[in-house]
Amino acid sequence: MARRHLTPQDWSTAALRAMARGGVAAVSVNALAGELEATRGSFYWHFKDRDALLTAALEMWERDNTTALISELGDTTDPRQRLTALFTTALGQENISGLEPAIVAHADHPAVAPVLHRVTERRITYLTDLYTDLGLAPSPARRQAVAAYAAYLGWIELRRSARDIVPEVAATGTTATAALEHLITELARSGKHQTASG
């Protein structure tokens, strides 16, 4: 049986899955080749070395989980609907479970740091703009964006580390759906409250 021709995206996805399981150290060319039933030659056809794979994988994560999502939300004019869609998507079913906490845990790694910096900056800027669209002045909008992003990071970390203790953070189920709706309501209410009081 002929082997399937692997693409750089196949290798990058496998690298992200490995990272979610065991961090940056788990991204091994030999291990990934075994998982993909491929040769090292296939890897070197696409990538100069492991660092090039790490960079490509992280840039794919950036594109798929930040750039594309923000672009998809561009057609939604109502800021409350955008906030709801953003958190519903971001905290919904993960393509690769536990990936984002694994990336954040390696924030100082030379391959991770620049991509994570760009992603964090882009997400905070987007949230700030969203809260500005909800009526907040720039400084309160920025503070609310930071609080909302911290809530997001905490939510996915709880999902990774304590799902059995905190079933509310699961990706699916009635308890999780109710908890996510509550979070979104509170994040939207915070913006409305600050507008009214500020």
Side-chain angles (χ1 to χ4, degrees):
M1 182 167 149
R3 284 184 176 156
R4 180 172 67 89
H5 177 70
L6 294 174
T7 66
Q9 291 76 20
D10 293 325
W11 284 98
S12 294
T13 299
L16 292 175
R17 290 186 190 286
M19 198 178 303
R21 287 190 306 265
V24 173
V27 181
S28 154
V29 175
N30 286 337
L32 295 179
E35 180 183 321
L36 293 169
E37 299 180 351
T39 63
R40 288 174 58 90
S42 169
F43 170 81
Y44 288 109
W45 180 261
H46 297 295
F47 300 100
K48 176 184 171 188
D49 54 26
R50 176 180 175 270
D51 286 345
L53 170 62
L54 279 172
T55 298
L58 290 162
E59 287 175 349
M60 185 172 84
W61 166 73
E62 174 184 20
R63 185 177 59 251
D64 294 348
N65 292 278
T66 300
T67 309
L69 177 55
I70 289 172
S71 178
E72 286 170 21
L73 294 171
D75 293 335
T76 306
T77 55
D78 181 85
R80 261 180 225 296
Q81 289 178 0
R82 246 183 322 183
L83 180 72
T84 299
L86 174 65
F87 277 92
T88 300
T89 302
L91 292 172
Q93 191 70 42
E94 297 170 279
N95 290 332
I96 301 175
S97 181
L99 176 59
E100 194 137 341
I103 291 172
V104 172
H106 292 85
D108 292 336
H109 188 280
V112 174
V115 179
L116 185 59
H117 178 85
R118 285 195 310 268
V119 165
T120 303
E121 185 174 52
R122 182 68 184 102
R123 290 175 176 181
I124 294 288
T125 298
Y126 182 76
L127 283 165
T128 301
D129 291 345
L130 199 158
Y131 279 109
T132 301
D133 291 346
L134 281 166
L136 294 182
S139 291
R142 168 78 181 195
R143 288 193 297 271
Q144 186 60 28
V146 171
Y149 194 58
Y152 162 75
L153 290 177
W155 195 277
I156 59 171
E157 176 57 31
L158 277 173
R159 180 181 291 170
R160 183 194 68 78
S161 64
R163 188 179 324 193
D164 56 333
I165 301 166
V166 190
E168 291 85 353
V169 299
T172 58
T174 55
T175 300
T177 299
L180 181 56
E181 286 174 2
H182 176 75
L183 174 67
I184 292 168
T185 299
E186 290 304 310
L187 292 173
R189 188 191 328 268
S190 295
K192 184 177 179 182
H193 173 71
Q194 289 184 39
T195 302
S197 63

